[in-house]
Amino acid sequence: NIIVSNDADADIIFEELERRYSIEGITRTERETTELGYPKRLIEVLTPSGKIAEIQVMTPKGYLAKDGVKYFPKDQKSLARKILEQVREAVGFDVPDGVGHYFYEIDRDTNVPLDLRKRAVELSNTYYSLFTENPPNIDEARFKQDLQNFVNDVENADKSKWDDGNDGTTPIELSLYLNNIFDKQGNINYGKVEEISDGIEQEQGT
């Protein structure tokens, strides 16, 4: 992945990649906002070894929404956290990072019930919109409830026919957000953490 500061620079870099690799052989390019609201700039090229390499050009906000702070290079994590705080200040609540790929995994699996896939698309579009330059003003309580209902339905779904590797696991950042791990000052609610940990231990029979 190549991370650049803004959409304009991302477009320039993407065009340069298309020019540079056109000689070696481009096998696929995608440059669009997907139905999930994700701004995709993807190029696949044939390397000298004969293998296909995938390159994605992203902005920090797009990468934050898709994969989250934890996937940023070590030397960029501090910047990623700062940008995430700016996003949260702009939207007015502590939107979790790294949830975008969760919606993608549900939507792309054609074995998942259509209703869940449609809801994944709707929630994903709302979610990615919060990481744009001009985020919409949304009702957090309703958005949070919609997320919770979706997570519950995914967790309770029969996954026996879902694609291998798609177990519908809720991202930890989303779980923390839904369970109110952080108070309004951004401090950890350790009582809530202990409550959740106790619940996990009971489920595991420990």
mmCIF file of all heavy atoms in Angstrom, residues 146-164:
data_model
loop_
_atom_site.group_PDB
_atom_site.id
_atom_site.type_symbol
_atom_site.label_atom_id
_atom_site.label_comp_id
_atom_site.label_asym_id
_atom_site.label_seq_id
_atom_site.Cartn_x
_atom_site.Cartn_y
_atom_site.Cartn_z
ATOM 1 N N ASP A 146 -27.835 0.651 14.856
ATOM 2 C CA ASP A 146 -27.822 -0.103 13.598
ATOM 3 C C ASP A 146 -26.596 -1.019 13.532
ATOM 4 O O ASP A 146 -26.680 -2.163 13.079
ATOM 5 C CB ASP A 146 -27.822 0.846 12.399
ATOM 6 C CG ASP A 146 -29.164 1.527 12.189
ATOM 7 O OD1 ASP A 146 -30.166 1.056 12.761
ATOM 8 O OD2 ASP A 146 -29.208 2.545 11.457
ATOM 9 N N LEU A 147 -25.453 -0.508 13.980
ATOM 10 C CA LEU A 147 -24.241 -1.317 14.023
ATOM 11 C C LEU A 147 -24.405 -2.501 14.971
ATOM 12 O O LEU A 147 -24.037 -3.634 14.641
ATOM 13 C CB LEU A 147 -23.053 -0.468 14.471
ATOM 14 C CG LEU A 147 -22.452 0.502 13.461
ATOM 15 C CD1 LEU A 147 -21.429 1.411 14.147
ATOM 16 C CD2 LEU A 147 -21.782 -0.241 12.316
ATOM 17 N N GLN A 148 -24.972 -2.227 16.148
ATOM 18 C CA GLN A 148 -25.148 -3.291 17.134
ATOM 19 C C GLN A 148 -26.092 -4.373 16.624
ATOM 20 O O GLN A 148 -25.827 -5.573 16.777
ATOM 21 C CB GLN A 148 -25.681 -2.716 18.444
ATOM 22 C CG GLN A 148 -25.792 -3.729 19.564
ATOM 23 C CD GLN A 148 -24.443 -4.253 20.003
ATOM 24 O OE1 GLN A 148 -23.669 -3.541 20.666
ATOM 25 N NE2 GLN A 148 -24.128 -5.498 19.655
ATOM 26 N N ASN A 149 -27.186 -3.962 16.001
ATOM 27 C CA ASN A 149 -28.133 -4.925 15.446
ATOM 28 C C ASN A 149 -27.474 -5.780 14.367
ATOM 29 O O ASN A 149 -27.702 -7.000 14.290
ATOM 30 C CB ASN A 149 -29.351 -4.203 14.873
ATOM 31 C CG ASN A 149 -30.205 -3.545 15.941
ATOM 32 O OD1 ASN A 149 -30.114 -3.883 17.123
ATOM 33 N ND2 ASN A 149 -31.022 -2.585 15.542
ATOM 34 N N PHE A 150 -26.662 -5.137 13.533
ATOM 35 C CA PHE A 150 -25.971 -5.848 12.463
ATOM 36 C C PHE A 150 -24.981 -6.854 13.038
ATOM 37 O O PHE A 150 -24.939 -8.024 12.611
ATOM 38 C CB PHE A 150 -25.247 -4.845 11.566
ATOM 39 C CG PHE A 150 -24.475 -5.474 10.439
ATOM 40 C CD1 PHE A 150 -25.124 -5.965 9.322
ATOM 41 C CD2 PHE A 150 -23.089 -5.572 10.491
ATOM 42 C CE1 PHE A 150 -24.419 -6.548 8.275
ATOM 43 C CE2 PHE A 150 -22.372 -6.149 9.460
ATOM 44 C CZ PHE A 150 -23.047 -6.641 8.350
ATOM 45 N N VAL A 151 -24.189 -6.422 14.005
ATOM 46 C CA VAL A 151 -23.208 -7.307 14.638
ATOM 47 C C VAL A 151 -23.911 -8.508 15.274
ATOM 48 O O VAL A 151 -23.460 -9.650 15.134
ATOM 49 C CB VAL A 151 -22.387 -6.537 15.693
ATOM 50 C CG1 VAL A 151 -21.613 -7.496 16.595
ATOM 51 C CG2 VAL A 151 -21.424 -5.576 15.014
ATOM 52 N N ASN A 152 -25.011 -8.253 15.967
ATOM 53 C CA ASN A 152 -25.753 -9.339 16.599
ATOM 54 C C ASN A 152 -26.232 -10.359 15.569
ATOM 55 O O ASN A 152 -26.126 -11.573 15.771
ATOM 56 C CB ASN A 152 -26.954 -8.793 17.364
ATOM 57 C CG ASN A 152 -26.559 -7.994 18.596
ATOM 58 O OD1 ASN A 152 -25.423 -8.084 19.064
ATOM 59 N ND2 ASN A 152 -27.481 -7.196 19.112
ATOM 60 N N ASP A 153 -26.763 -9.849 14.463
ATOM 61 C CA ASP A 153 -27.292 -10.741 13.436
ATOM 62 C C ASP A 153 -26.180 -11.529 12.741
ATOM 63 O O ASP A 153 -26.367 -12.697 12.376
ATOM 64 C CB ASP A 153 -28.104 -9.945 12.412
ATOM 65 C CG ASP A 153 -29.416 -9.433 12.986
ATOM 66 O OD1 ASP A 153 -29.835 -9.941 14.052
ATOM 67 O OD2 ASP A 153 -30.018 -8.520 12.373
ATOM 68 N N VAL A 154 -25.033 -10.898 12.544
ATOM 69 C CA VAL A 154 -23.895 -11.602 11.955
ATOM 70 C C VAL A 154 -23.409 -12.694 12.901
ATOM 71 O O VAL A 154 -23.146 -13.831 12.490
ATOM 72 C CB VAL A 154 -22.743 -10.628 11.634
ATOM 73 C CG1 VAL A 154 -21.462 -11.392 11.280
ATOM 74 C CG2 VAL A 154 -23.129 -9.718 10.477
ATOM 75 N N GLU A 155 -23.283 -12.351 14.180
ATOM 76 C CA GLU A 155 -22.794 -13.323 15.160
ATOM 77 C C GLU A 155 -23.739 -14.514 15.296
ATOM 78 O O GLU A 155 -23.302 -15.648 15.513
ATOM 79 C CB GLU A 155 -22.596 -12.640 16.516
ATOM 80 C CG GLU A 155 -21.428 -11.664 16.535
ATOM 81 C CD GLU A 155 -21.238 -11.007 17.887
ATOM 82 O OE1 GLU A 155 -22.162 -11.141 18.742
ATOM 83 O OE2 GLU A 155 -20.193 -10.369 18.097
ATOM 84 N N ASN A 156 -25.050 -14.269 15.164
ATOM 85 C CA ASN A 156 -26.039 -15.328 15.353
ATOM 86 C C ASN A 156 -26.376 -16.093 14.071
ATOM 87 O O ASN A 156 -27.143 -17.052 14.108
ATOM 88 C CB ASN A 156 -27.329 -14.735 15.929
ATOM 89 C CG ASN A 156 -27.137 -14.194 17.338
ATOM 90 O OD1 ASN A 156 -26.363 -14.734 18.116
ATOM 91 N ND2 ASN A 156 -27.843 -13.114 17.665
ATOM 92 N N ALA A 157 -25.811 -15.652 12.952
ATOM 93 C CA ALA A 157 -26.123 -16.282 11.664
ATOM 94 C C ALA A 157 -25.508 -17.671 11.559
ATOM 95 O O ALA A 157 -24.478 -17.964 12.167
ATOM 96 C CB ALA A 157 -25.619 -15.402 10.519
ATOM 97 N N ASP A 158 -26.145 -18.517 10.774
ATOM 98 C CA ASP A 158 -25.603 -19.840 10.464
ATOM 99 C C ASP A 158 -24.497 -19.664 9.422
ATOM 100 O O ASP A 158 -24.766 -19.310 8.279
ATOM 101 C CB ASP A 158 -26.724 -20.739 9.916
ATOM 102 C CG ASP A 158 -26.214 -22.109 9.488
ATOM 103 O OD1 ASP A 158 -25.025 -22.412 9.735
ATOM 104 O OD2 ASP A 158 -26.998 -22.874 8.886
ATOM 105 N N LYS A 159 -23.266 -19.914 9.822
ATOM 106 C CA LYS A 159 -22.115 -19.665 8.943
ATOM 107 C C LYS A 159 -21.576 -20.945 8.310
ATOM 108 O O LYS A 159 -20.475 -20.938 7.744
ATOM 109 C CB LYS A 159 -21.004 -18.954 9.721
ATOM 110 C CG LYS A 159 -21.466 -17.646 10.375
ATOM 111 C CD LYS A 159 -20.338 -17.016 11.160
ATOM 112 C CE LYS A 159 -20.818 -15.767 11.873
ATOM 113 N NZ LYS A 159 -21.809 -16.069 12.925
ATOM 114 N N SER A 160 -22.323 -22.018 8.402
ATOM 115 C CA SER A 160 -21.827 -23.306 7.917
ATOM 116 C C SER A 160 -21.537 -23.309 6.423
ATOM 117 O O SER A 160 -20.702 -24.085 5.950
ATOM 118 C CB SER A 160 -22.830 -24.416 8.253
ATOM 119 O OG SER A 160 -24.099 -24.161 7.652
ATOM 120 N N LYS A 161 -22.201 -22.454 5.675
ATOM 121 C CA LYS A 161 -21.991 -22.408 4.229
ATOM 122 C C LYS A 161 -21.244 -21.160 3.773
ATOM 123 O O LYS A 161 -21.072 -20.947 2.579
ATOM 124 C CB LYS A 161 -23.338 -22.505 3.500
ATOM 125 C CG LYS A 161 -24.051 -23.828 3.722
ATOM 126 C CD LYS A 161 -25.353 -23.891 2.931
ATOM 127 C CE LYS A 161 -26.058 -25.230 3.148
ATOM 128 N NZ LYS A 161 -27.334 -25.310 2.383
ATOM 129 N N TRP A 162 -20.807 -20.348 4.715
ATOM 130 C CA TRP A 162 -20.057 -19.144 4.362
ATOM 131 C C TRP A 162 -18.682 -19.542 3.842
ATOM 132 O O TRP A 162 -18.189 -20.646 4.103
ATOM 133 C CB TRP A 162 -19.903 -18.224 5.578
ATOM 134 C CG TRP A 162 -21.181 -17.540 5.990
ATOM 135 C CD1 TRP A 162 -22.466 -17.940 5.709
ATOM 136 C CD2 TRP A 162 -21.300 -16.362 6.783
ATOM 137 N NE1 TRP A 162 -23.372 -17.090 6.280
ATOM 138 C CE2 TRP A 162 -22.688 -16.106 6.945
ATOM 139 C CE3 TRP A 162 -20.380 -15.495 7.377
ATOM 140 C CZ2 TRP A 162 -23.168 -15.021 7.666
ATOM 141 C CZ3 TRP A 162 -20.852 -14.422 8.104
ATOM 142 C CH2 TRP A 162 -22.227 -14.181 8.242
ATOM 143 N N ASP A 163 -18.051 -18.628 3.117
ATOM 144 C CA ASP A 163 -16.719 -18.893 2.572
ATOM 145 C C ASP A 163 -15.738 -19.231 3.697
ATOM 146 O O ASP A 163 -15.837 -18.697 4.806
ATOM 147 C CB ASP A 163 -16.188 -17.669 1.814
ATOM 148 C CG ASP A 163 -16.899 -17.456 0.486
ATOM 149 O OD1 ASP A 163 -17.612 -18.383 0.037
ATOM 150 O OD2 ASP A 163 -16.734 -16.365 -0.098
ATOM 151 N N ASP A 164 -14.789 -20.099 3.383
ATOM 152 C CA ASP A 164 -13.733 -20.416 4.341
ATOM 153 C C ASP A 164 -12.978 -19.142 4.704
ATOM 154 O O ASP A 164 -12.612 -18.352 3.836
ATOM 155 C CB ASP A 164 -12.746 -21.426 3.735
ATOM 156 C CG ASP A 164 -13.363 -22.805 3.567
ATOM 157 O OD1 ASP A 164 -14.381 -23.075 4.219
ATOM 158 O OD2 ASP A 164 -12.814 -23.601 2.773
#
